[in-house]
Amino acid sequence: MFMRIDHVGIACHDLEERIAFFERVFDLTVVAREINEEQGVKEAMLHIADGQGGGSYIQLLEPLGPDTPVGKFLAKRGEGVHHVAFGVPDVVQAMEKIGDSGVRLLDKTPRHGSLNSSIAFLHPKDVGGVLTELVQAAERQPESTSNTTNADS
């Protein structure tokens, strides 16, 4: 089901400062920036490598406010790994299979993700305490991607 690690999401207080660090220390390049009002974040995707089914990235996340999911995460845990995202060939099929196994889904249907992907989150309490994201790359994106829940549970 999983094709690759799509990205690791890292929560930070200052997006520009973190970008400069990853560019300087790891020689990574920002390939996309986005403000996602729906998820309450300002983000940057830094390219690591290409592989089967798409690329791998570091996703830096700065909250748009303290009451957003990433804002609450930072207040509780500080800067660091927020979530791990796995690339899947079909996000809807992956959601169905994982949901049938008893893992709770935070999304009932896929929603818009970085780089025009289609995404869905799994409940961290059912995945060993790790907020887990499923990512279907844009070129394989289904027709409809509407959000129905919030990933701060």
Side-chain angles (χ1 to χ4, degrees):
M1 173 185 324
F2 295 157
M3 299 171 13
R4 69 189 187 293
I5 294 177
D6 184 85
H7 67 271
V8 174
I10 299 174
C12 62
H13 292 290
D14 185 327
L15 186 64
E16 297 307 318
E17 180 182 292
R18 287 289 94 200
I19 288 171
F21 173 83
F22 276 85
E23 287 177 332
R24 184 182 79 251
V25 174
F26 301 116
D27 200 26
L28 298 179
T29 302
V30 173
V31 295
R33 290 173 177 257
E34 183 175 340
I35 295 176
N36 189 323
E37 297 280 345
E38 181 181 357
Q39 294 181 35
V41 294
K42 183 168 42 168
E43 67 176 65
M45 295 294 279
L46 291 91
H47 184 254
I48 297 173
D50 290 316
Q52 178 186 358
S56 292
Y57 305 89
I58 294 292
Q59 179 187 48
L60 300 175
L61 303 162
E62 178 184 328
L64 295 178
D67 291 334
T68 63
V70 173
K72 292 174 187 175
F73 176 91
L74 283 169
K76 185 176 180 179
R77 298 191 182 140
E79 292 188 318
V81 174
H82 179 261
H83 66 275
V84 176
F86 295 96
V88 296
D90 185 314
V91 72
V92 173
Q93 284 182 350
M95 291 171 69
E96 289 171 2
K97 184 174 182 179
I98 292 167
D100 287 347
S101 76
V103 172
R104 288 175 286 173
L105 306 172
L106 293 177
D107 297 290
K108 301 229 184 290
T109 59
R111 59 172 131 163
H112 168 77
S114 302
L115 303 171
N116 276 332
S117 63
S118 184
I119 66 170
F121 285 92
L122 310 179
H123 200 295
K125 290 183 180 176
D126 294 350
V127 192
V130 177
L131 180 59
T132 303
E133 181 180 357
L134 306 173
V135 179
Q136 181 179 328
E139 60 272 9
R140 295 186 181 106
Q141 185 173 329
E143 295 293 319
S144 172
T145 57
S146 61
N147 178 30
T148 58
T149 63
N150 192 340
D152 66 343
S153 302

